[in-house]
Amino acid sequence: MDQGTLDTLVILVGLLAASGFVIGLHYMNSPATARNGNLISMSGMALAVVVTFIALLFGEDGLSTEGLIIIVVGFIIGGAAGLLLALRVAMTAMPQLVSLFNAVGGGAAALVAIFDYLLIVGTDKESVSTTIFVILGVVIGSITFTGSLIASGKLQGLISGQPIKVPGGIYTTIALGAVALITTLLLVLSAGGSPVIELADEAKIGVLVVLLAASLTFGVTMVLPIGGADMPVVISLLNSFTGTAAAMSGFVLESPLLI
């Protein structure tokens, strides 16, 4: 199979998988059809994973033995953990489990974005547009990761369900947001040898670390002051964050399926 045919197949199957997600969500509107909706969504995800694996295995660049081992090990560990949690967690604890899974998704998106930035920094690929997508992936994914963990902890009772004030209150959150914004601008305006700001590659990595720390802390300070009764709303918001972070990675990786 030539590369063009493979790319077309991946896009078509990706559209089919995405349609499965949308149809599955529609069926989840009613308790009578929720089970079928879950099965349809699950099938769409399985299809997306399989076609991505095939694209990596038979793609233009191929897949190294080390890469294959990492993917297979990831399948085994992730699949076993997901199956174990799903079987052992009571139905009444599903909201916090969903939040925990959402944290994993946000963390994964952030890690992919960080790795992408480390690959492009100091190279010809470090354009302004690519840097914007990568940095947004880091910020959104990091906020989702810590925010979802706090939400899950509140629902599980590991953290008090009462609103918890952070030192400095809203000013702390605003300050963290300002730090994230400033560091984002620094990285974007210094991308691709931009004449606006000149930063050494080592300095860019340092700025990225500050951005990561501010984003992770922002997720905590954003969710802690919110009461446990509002956690489902918070989880819904953070879930949309995860999708956005994944889409940012899709633009960087040039993956229509991920977008």
Side-chain angles (χ1 to χ4, degrees):
M1 183 184 299
D2 61 88
Q3 187 62 41
T5 303
L6 180 61
D7 291 341
T8 302
L9 178 63
V10 169
I11 292 175
L12 291 176
V13 175
L15 288 174
L16 180 61
S19 299
F21 299 152
V22 175
I23 295 172
L25 284 173
H26 174 70
Y27 274 94
M28 290 180 194
N29 285 330
S30 168
T33 57
R35 180 181 177 86
N36 289 334
N38 228 339
L39 290 174
I40 293 173
S41 297
M42 180 180 66
S43 300
M45 178 56 74
L47 193 61
V49 171
V50 169
V51 73
T52 300
F53 182 71
I54 292 175
L56 288 173
L57 195 60
F58 299 103
E60 194 172 34
D61 298 328
L63 187 63
S64 64
T65 302
E66 294 82 0
L68 181 60
I69 292 174
I70 291 173
I71 291 174
V72 171
V73 171
F75 275 151
I76 294 173
I77 295 176
L83 179 62
L84 181 63
L85 286 171
L87 290 176
R88 296 185 61 180
V89 173
M91 285 301 296
T92 52
M94 279 300 147
Q96 47 264 51
L97 180 61
V98 170
S99 184
L100 182 61
F101 284 162
N102 192 46
V104 173
L111 286 175
V112 169
I114 292 170
F115 182 70
D116 287 339
Y117 186 77
L118 295 178
L119 285 179
I120 67 172
V121 66
T123 69
D124 295 337
K125 295 182 179 180
E126 191 193 357
S127 63
V128 172
S129 58
T130 301
T131 302
I132 290 175
F133 290 131
V134 171
I135 298 307
L136 284 177
V138 174
V139 173
I140 300 172
S142 300
I143 293 174
T144 303
F145 176 67
T146 51
S148 296
L149 286 179
I150 297 298
S152 180
K154 278 179 172 282
L155 290 173
Q156 187 64 28
L158 300 176
I159 301 175
S160 173
Q162 298 297 320
I164 300 175
K165 293 184 178 180
V166 298
I170 191 174
Y171 299 106
T172 299
T173 304
I174 292 175
L176 290 169
V179 171
L181 178 60
I182 292 171
T183 50
T184 296
L185 290 175
L186 282 174
L187 293 176
V188 170
L189 294 177
S190 64
S194 170
V196 179
I197 297 176
E198 292 186 6
L199 288 178
D201 292 343
E202 294 78 6
K204 293 178 182 178
I205 302 301
V207 173
L208 179 66
V209 172
V210 175
L211 171 65
L212 179 62
S215 300
L216 290 172
T217 310
F218 184 92
V220 175
T221 61
M222 181 183 75
V223 179
L224 273 181
I226 302 174
D230 293 321
M231 283 303 107
V233 178
V234 174
I235 292 172
S236 181
L237 175 64
L238 293 174
N239 196 27
S240 68
F241 280 14
T242 301
T244 306
M248 295 300 102
S249 299
F251 283 114
V252 177
L253 300 175
E254 298 180 352
S255 169
L257 176 59
L258 191 56
I259 296 172

Short mmCIF file of all heavy atoms in Angstrom, two decimals, residues 143 166-183 214-215 217-222 225:
data_model
loop_
_atom_site.label_atom_id
_atom_site.label_comp_id
_atom_site.label_asym_id
_atom_site.label_seq_id
_atom_site.Cartn_x
_atom_site.Cartn_y
_atom_site.Cartn_z
N ILE A 143 -3.16 22.34 33.03
CA ILE A 143 -4.30 22.80 33.85
C ILE A 143 -5.32 21.67 34.02
O ILE A 143 -5.85 21.44 35.11
CB ILE A 143 -4.96 24.04 33.21
CG1 ILE A 143 -4.01 25.23 33.25
CG2 ILE A 143 -6.28 24.38 33.92
CD1 ILE A 143 -4.52 26.45 32.51
N VAL A 166 -7.22 29.39 48.79
CA VAL A 166 -5.77 29.30 48.63
C VAL A 166 -5.15 30.60 49.13
O VAL A 166 -5.81 31.65 49.14
CB VAL A 166 -5.40 29.07 47.15
CG1 VAL A 166 -5.98 27.77 46.66
CG2 VAL A 166 -5.89 30.22 46.28
N PRO A 167 -3.91 30.55 49.59
CA PRO A 167 -3.25 31.77 50.05
C PRO A 167 -3.26 32.85 48.97
O PRO A 167 -2.84 32.60 47.84
CB PRO A 167 -1.83 31.31 50.35
CG PRO A 167 -1.97 29.85 50.67
CD PRO A 167 -3.06 29.36 49.76
N GLY A 168 -3.76 34.01 49.31
CA GLY A 168 -3.83 35.09 48.33
C GLY A 168 -5.12 35.10 47.54
O GLY A 168 -5.39 36.06 46.81
N GLY A 169 -5.91 34.02 47.66
CA GLY A 169 -7.20 33.96 47.00
C GLY A 169 -7.11 34.10 45.49
O GLY A 169 -6.20 33.57 44.84
N ILE A 170 -8.04 34.85 44.94
CA ILE A 170 -8.13 35.00 43.49
C ILE A 170 -6.90 35.71 42.91
O ILE A 170 -6.54 35.50 41.75
CB ILE A 170 -9.42 35.77 43.11
CG1 ILE A 170 -9.65 35.70 41.60
CG2 ILE A 170 -9.35 37.21 43.60
CD1 ILE A 170 -10.97 36.29 41.17
N TYR A 171 -6.24 36.50 43.74
CA TYR A 171 -5.05 37.21 43.25
C TYR A 171 -3.92 36.24 42.90
O TYR A 171 -3.13 36.48 41.97
CB TYR A 171 -4.58 38.23 44.27
CG TYR A 171 -5.62 39.30 44.56
CD1 TYR A 171 -6.34 39.30 45.74
CD2 TYR A 171 -5.89 40.28 43.62
CE1 TYR A 171 -7.30 40.27 46.00
CE2 TYR A 171 -6.85 41.26 43.85
CZ TYR A 171 -7.55 41.24 45.05
OH TYR A 171 -8.51 42.20 45.28
N THR A 172 -3.83 35.15 43.66
CA THR A 172 -2.83 34.13 43.36
C THR A 172 -3.11 33.49 42.01
O THR A 172 -2.20 33.30 41.19
CB THR A 172 -2.83 33.03 44.45
OG1 THR A 172 -2.51 33.62 45.70
CG2 THR A 172 -1.82 31.94 44.13
N THR A 173 -4.39 33.18 41.77
CA THR A 173 -4.77 32.57 40.49
C THR A 173 -4.51 33.53 39.34
O THR A 173 -4.02 33.13 38.28
CB THR A 173 -6.26 32.17 40.52
OG1 THR A 173 -6.49 31.31 41.63
CG2 THR A 173 -6.64 31.45 39.24
N ILE A 174 -4.83 34.80 39.55
CA ILE A 174 -4.59 35.81 38.51
C ILE A 174 -3.10 35.94 38.23
O ILE A 174 -2.66 36.04 37.07
CB ILE A 174 -5.18 37.18 38.94
CG1 ILE A 174 -6.71 37.09 38.97
CG2 ILE A 174 -4.72 38.28 37.98
CD1 ILE A 174 -7.37 38.36 39.50
N ALA A 175 -2.28 35.92 39.29
CA ALA A 175 -0.84 36.03 39.14
C ALA A 175 -0.28 34.84 38.35
O ALA A 175 0.58 35.00 37.47
CB ALA A 175 -0.17 36.11 40.50
N LEU A 176 -0.78 33.64 38.66
CA LEU A 176 -0.33 32.45 37.93
C LEU A 176 -0.74 32.53 36.46
O LEU A 176 0.05 32.17 35.57
CB LEU A 176 -0.94 31.20 38.57
CG LEU A 176 -0.40 30.82 39.95
CD1 LEU A 176 -1.28 29.73 40.58
CD2 LEU A 176 1.04 30.32 39.83
N GLY A 177 -1.96 33.03 36.21
CA GLY A 177 -2.39 33.21 34.83
C GLY A 177 -1.52 34.21 34.09
O GLY A 177 -1.20 34.02 32.91
N ALA A 178 -1.11 35.26 34.79
CA ALA A 178 -0.25 36.28 34.19
C ALA A 178 1.12 35.69 33.85
O ALA A 178 1.69 35.96 32.78
CB ALA A 178 -0.09 37.46 35.14
N VAL A 179 1.67 34.87 34.77
CA VAL A 179 2.96 34.23 34.52
C VAL A 179 2.87 33.31 33.31
O VAL A 179 3.76 33.30 32.45
CB VAL A 179 3.41 33.42 35.76
CG1 VAL A 179 4.64 32.57 35.44
CG2 VAL A 179 3.73 34.35 36.92
N ALA A 180 1.78 32.53 33.23
CA ALA A 180 1.59 31.63 32.10
C ALA A 180 1.49 32.42 30.79
O ALA A 180 2.06 32.02 29.76
CB ALA A 180 0.33 30.78 32.30
N LEU A 181 0.79 33.55 30.83
CA LEU A 181 0.63 34.37 29.62
C LEU A 181 1.97 34.99 29.19
O LEU A 181 2.33 34.96 28.01
CB LEU A 181 -0.39 35.48 29.89
CG LEU A 181 -0.63 36.47 28.74
CD1 LEU A 181 -1.14 35.75 27.50
CD2 LEU A 181 -1.61 37.55 29.16
N ILE A 182 2.71 35.52 30.17
CA ILE A 182 4.00 36.16 29.86
C ILE A 182 4.99 35.14 29.29
O ILE A 182 5.67 35.41 28.29
CB ILE A 182 4.56 36.84 31.12
CG1 ILE A 182 3.69 38.04 31.51
CG2 ILE A 182 6.00 37.30 30.88
CD1 ILE A 182 4.04 38.64 32.85
N THR A 183 5.09 33.98 29.93
CA THR A 183 6.03 32.96 29.44
C THR A 183 5.61 32.43 28.07
O THR A 183 6.47 32.12 27.23
CB THR A 183 6.13 31.80 30.45
OG1 THR A 183 4.81 31.36 30.81
CG2 THR A 183 6.87 32.22 31.70
N ALA A 214 3.65 27.06 36.44
CA ALA A 214 2.54 28.00 36.62
C ALA A 214 1.22 27.37 36.19
O ALA A 214 0.19 27.52 36.86
CB ALA A 214 2.80 29.28 35.83
N SER A 215 1.24 26.62 35.09
CA SER A 215 0.01 26.00 34.57
C SER A 215 -0.48 24.90 35.50
O SER A 215 -1.68 24.78 35.77
CB SER A 215 0.27 25.43 33.17
OG SER A 215 0.67 26.45 32.27
N THR A 217 0.08 24.64 38.72
CA THR A 217 -0.42 25.26 39.95
C THR A 217 -1.75 25.96 39.71
O THR A 217 -2.64 25.96 40.57
CB THR A 217 0.61 26.27 40.49
OG1 THR A 217 1.89 25.65 40.56
CG2 THR A 217 0.21 26.75 41.88
N PHE A 218 -1.92 26.55 38.54
CA PHE A 218 -3.17 27.22 38.18
C PHE A 218 -4.34 26.25 38.24
O PHE A 218 -5.43 26.59 38.71
CB PHE A 218 -3.06 27.83 36.78
CG PHE A 218 -4.26 28.64 36.37
CD1 PHE A 218 -4.31 30.00 36.60
CD2 PHE A 218 -5.34 28.03 35.73
CE1 PHE A 218 -5.42 30.75 36.22
CE2 PHE A 218 -6.45 28.77 35.35
CZ PHE A 218 -6.49 30.13 35.60
N GLY A 219 -4.11 25.02 37.76
CA GLY A 219 -5.18 24.02 37.80
C GLY A 219 -5.63 23.73 39.22
O GLY A 219 -6.83 23.53 39.48
N VAL A 220 -4.69 23.75 40.17
CA VAL A 220 -5.02 23.49 41.58
C VAL A 220 -5.79 24.67 42.18
O VAL A 220 -6.85 24.50 42.79
CB VAL A 220 -3.74 23.24 42.40
CG1 VAL A 220 -4.07 23.09 43.89
CG2 VAL A 220 -3.03 21.99 41.90
N THR A 221 -5.26 25.87 41.98
CA THR A 221 -5.89 27.05 42.58
C THR A 221 -7.24 27.38 41.93
O THR A 221 -8.08 28.05 42.53
CB THR A 221 -4.97 28.28 42.46
OG1 THR A 221 -4.71 28.56 41.07
CG2 THR A 221 -3.65 28.03 43.17
N MET A 222 -7.45 26.90 40.72
CA MET A 222 -8.72 27.16 40.03
C MET A 222 -9.84 26.28 40.60
O MET A 222 -10.98 26.73 40.73
CB MET A 222 -8.56 26.89 38.53
CG MET A 222 -9.84 27.15 37.72
SD MET A 222 -9.65 26.74 35.96
CE MET A 222 -9.70 24.95 36.02
N PRO A 225 -11.11 26.27 45.23
CA PRO A 225 -12.14 27.13 45.83
C PRO A 225 -13.57 26.77 45.43
O PRO A 225 -14.52 27.40 45.90
CB PRO A 225 -11.78 28.54 45.30
CG PRO A 225 -10.38 28.43 44.80
CD PRO A 225 -10.25 27.04 44.32
#
